[in-house]
Amino acid sequence: LIKDPKDVNLELKINGEIRQQGKADCMIFDIPELLEYTSQFFTLYPGDLILTGTPEGVSQVVKGDELVSRLFLDDGSVDVQMTNTVQ
């Protein structure tokens, strides 16, 4: 459980290189708003991720790239690893 969704640090690595870093309170749409909007179109389940991206660090992602998203929380961090399947 995240006590304060605005007090979350976010990071995205592509092939081991940090490409994006930021804090949730700097997002245009806050996390509860994103969840509410997204859930209008998709059923969300525990463990689902909604990746929105940011202008900073934007670059091309190609087939086989390894993306690692990380949420830093007060009581630890949550890592999610995924491999891009763009063809």
Side-chain angles (χ1 to χ4, degrees):
L1 179 66
I2 298 174
K3 294 177 188 173
D4 182 0
K6 292 184 178 186
D7 191 29
V8 175
N9 293 302
L10 311 161
E11 178 182 272
L12 174 67
K13 289 183 180 181
I14 300 178
N15 300 324
E17 176 187 342
I18 296 175
R19 295 280 184 93
Q20 297 176 335
Q21 250 180 339
K23 194 164 176 131
D25 67 352
C26 295
M27 296 170 63
I28 294 171
F29 301 103
D30 63 25
I31 292 173
E33 190 174 2
L34 288 170
L35 292 172
E36 180 182 349
Y37 179 78
T38 305
S39 66
Q40 294 177 46
F41 306 99
F42 304 99
T43 301
L44 297 173
Y45 297 98
D48 282 351
L49 294 175
I50 302 170
L51 301 176
T52 61
T54 66
E56 182 181 342
V58 171
S59 65
Q60 184 176 9
V61 177
V62 296
K63 182 178 179 180
D65 277 352
E66 182 180 74
L67 284 69
V68 177
S69 297
R70 177 179 268 180
L71 305 176
F72 294 91
L73 309 174
D74 289 338
D75 57 353
S77 66
V78 177
D79 289 324
V80 178
Q81 185 169 326
M82 60 195 138
T83 301
N84 177 24
T85 57
V86 174
Q87 297 192 27

